[in-house]
Amino acid sequence: MARAPFEIAGTEIKAGTRETVEVPVAKLYTHTPLHIPVEVVHGRRDGPVLMVCGAIHGDEINGVEIVRRVLTNSALRHLRGTLVAVPIVNIFGFVQRTRYLPDRRDLNRCFPGSESGSLGGRIAYLLRTQIMERVTHIIDLHTGAVHRFNLPQIRAELKNPETVRMAEAFGAPIIINAGLREGSLRAYADSQDIPVVTFEGGEALRFDDVVIGSGVKGVIRVMRELEMIPPKKGPKAPKKRSETAANSQWVRADIDGIMRPVARLGQKVRKGQRLAMVADPFGESETAVVTPCSGIVICVNNLPLVNEGEAIYHVARFDELSEAEKAMDYFRSSYEGDVAEDVVPVHPWDDRHK
């Protein structure tokens, strides 16, 4: 018996086919219509319905490229289930190169949304009713904010065993057991018992090939774990690629000034270790920024100009710091072997460029 078509926004996609659907979302002042582009790959056989989405914050563009590359993977020819790819959720922010919507609302605080609410509420309602109510699993792709570079990591509420399964399969070096924020896509999905993981990597308005590559690999690994695509041929990689953080802590500047970073992204640091120096422009005063805890640096502020109280480093804590260091070593070795030397960017976690 043939599998039933997949319906989205009034369009039916037959089993064994793929189609791009333009979901109408709103209009510009000029009455030019805007649409959320959605690519649906509907397999011939039953299976999970996975939504992979990017740019819910419009300036977080690494996720857009991750989705594009996933859609070119040849394994999709053997897809079991359905892949719903939404590369650009916040189409307004993406066009304007900004995190927010035109009314300065954060779309990722507008769920579950409202048919007659704010613009953010209406877009969240549209995404929920037209797409999310049809899926069984979600991967939400993010980056750090402007000038903040995130180490590739997974954030998830690890109470749901299926969410844990997805998080571990993704293979990012670090997993953060992150609480749910009211109004977020992740919080709404969790309330509906839809397992969801958030991938964080890189910074806003910048492509990073290592981050994008690890994101693509992670999505494909999750699809293999869910048995949506065939297993990879050849020797299997170690099952445990990630280490879960017990918690994390932001480290902030004690004074205003110009920051000179010392610690690198992905580096193991010990309590009391110097992370950076902050000085005035004339060099008359200088203060060391030290970490209040041991852990792995998972985010660095790349802007040297800092104000008192500004978050400049994010450190993840672990029960077994040595195991987290092993996960970082595995991550380094995997991207060094897979990305050509001439396209590997200079990363603050890359010891070869010290």
Side-chain angles (χ1 to χ4, degrees):
M1 182 178 178
R3 190 181 182 205
F6 186 86
E7 184 177 343
I8 180 172
T11 301
E12 287 191 346
I13 297 90
K14 295 180 180 179
T17 67
R18 61 192 293 171
E19 187 170 341
T20 300
V21 180
E22 300 286 346
V23 181
V25 59
K27 292 181 180 179
L28 298 176
Y29 303 123
T30 59
H31 275 222
T32 302
L34 287 181
H35 301 81
I36 296 176
V38 181
E39 178 93 358
V40 178
V41 187
H42 192 41
R44 296 183 184 278
R45 296 177 295 164
D46 288 335
V49 180
L50 172 66
M51 181 177 87
V52 182
C53 61
I56 196 168
H57 294 133
D59 59 357
E60 298 183 1
I61 63 176
N62 275 334
V64 181
E65 178 65 6
I66 290 171
V67 173
R68 187 192 70 80
R69 295 191 191 182
V70 167
L71 288 170
T72 66
N73 195 289
S74 60
L76 295 184
R77 293 197 300 263
H78 310 286
L79 181 69
R80 187 176 71 86
T82 305
L83 173 63
V84 181
V86 191
I88 308 165
V89 176
N90 181 358
I91 193 70
F92 282 98
F94 185 77
V95 169
Q96 295 296 324
R97 306 176 191 176
T98 178
R99 177 184 181 90
Y100 301 108
L101 292 163
D103 60 0
R104 298 295 298 168
R105 289 179 185 268
D106 184 338
L107 180 54
N108 207 29
R109 297 294 180 268
C110 293
F111 288 87
S114 167
E115 189 174 13
S116 58
S118 66
L119 176 60
R122 294 179 189 218
I123 295 175
Y125 174 84
L126 179 72
L127 190 71
R128 170 172 65 86
T129 57
Q130 295 296 318
I131 302 174
M132 292 178 66
E133 290 180 354
R134 293 164 170 76
V135 308
T136 61
H137 300 74
I138 297 174
I139 300 175
D140 186 20
L141 305 169
H142 287 257
T143 77
V146 174
H147 305 307
R148 289 183 181 172
F149 196 111
N150 275 341
L151 180 79
Q153 60 195 261
I154 285 291
R155 298 182 185 178
E157 177 86 343
L158 300 179
K159 295 178 181 179
N160 185 332
E162 187 73 354
T163 300
V164 174
R165 180 184 170 207
M166 292 173 65
E168 292 179 346
F170 198 99
I174 305 298
I175 298 173
I176 307 291
N177 188 6
L180 300 170
R181 293 191 175 183
E182 184 178 355
S184 67
L185 179 151
R186 195 160 62 90
Y188 173 74
D190 184 82
S191 73
Q192 301 301 303
D193 294 323
I194 301 172
V196 54
V197 297
T198 294
F199 173 68
E200 291 270 359
E203 65 178 298
L205 296 175
R206 296 288 183 272
F207 270 0
D208 183 277
D209 207 62
V210 170
V211 169
I212 291 168
S214 62
V216 173
K217 288 181 181 179
V219 173
I220 296 300
R221 288 185 188 122
V222 171
M223 294 181 72
R224 287 197 178 107
E225 179 67 24
L226 298 177
E227 298 182 350
M228 296 181 69
I229 56 177
K232 186 177 181 180
K233 296 180 180 179
K236 292 185 177 181
K239 181 70 174 177
K240 190 174 179 60
R241 304 182 185 88
S242 310
E243 191 65 22
T244 302
N247 51 51
S248 63
Q249 183 170 349
W250 280 100
V251 184
R252 301 179 181 276
D254 292 325
I255 64 170
D256 307 289
I258 300 172
M259 178 187 69
R260 303 195 315 277
V262 176
R264 306 183 311 278
L265 195 69
Q267 180 180 333
K268 179 181 73 173
V269 292
R270 295 291 184 182
K271 182 178 180 180
Q273 183 173 332
R274 186 176 60 176
L275 300 177
M277 300 296 296
V278 180
D280 69 86
F282 307 103
E284 295 178 355
S285 63
E286 189 172 51
T287 300
V289 178
V290 301
T291 174
C293 61
S294 298
I296 300 289
V297 176
I298 61 171
C299 182
V300 175
N301 185 344
N302 288 327
L303 184 65
L305 311 178
V306 299
N307 293 112
E308 181 180 349
E310 187 169 349
I312 54 177
Y313 277 86
H314 197 189
V315 178
R317 300 177 178 181
F318 299 87
D319 293 330
E320 295 290 341
L321 187 54
S322 60
E323 293 301 312
E325 194 173 20
K326 289 178 183 178
M328 280 304 310
D329 289 341
Y330 179 82
F331 175 74
R332 289 189 187 97
S333 64
S334 65
Y335 85 72
E336 285 175 356
D338 292 340
V339 181
E341 181 71 28
D342 60 346
V343 297
V344 175
V346 177
H347 285 282
W349 70 71
D350 192 340
D351 289 337
R352 293 175 301 160
H353 300 291
K354 288 173 61 178

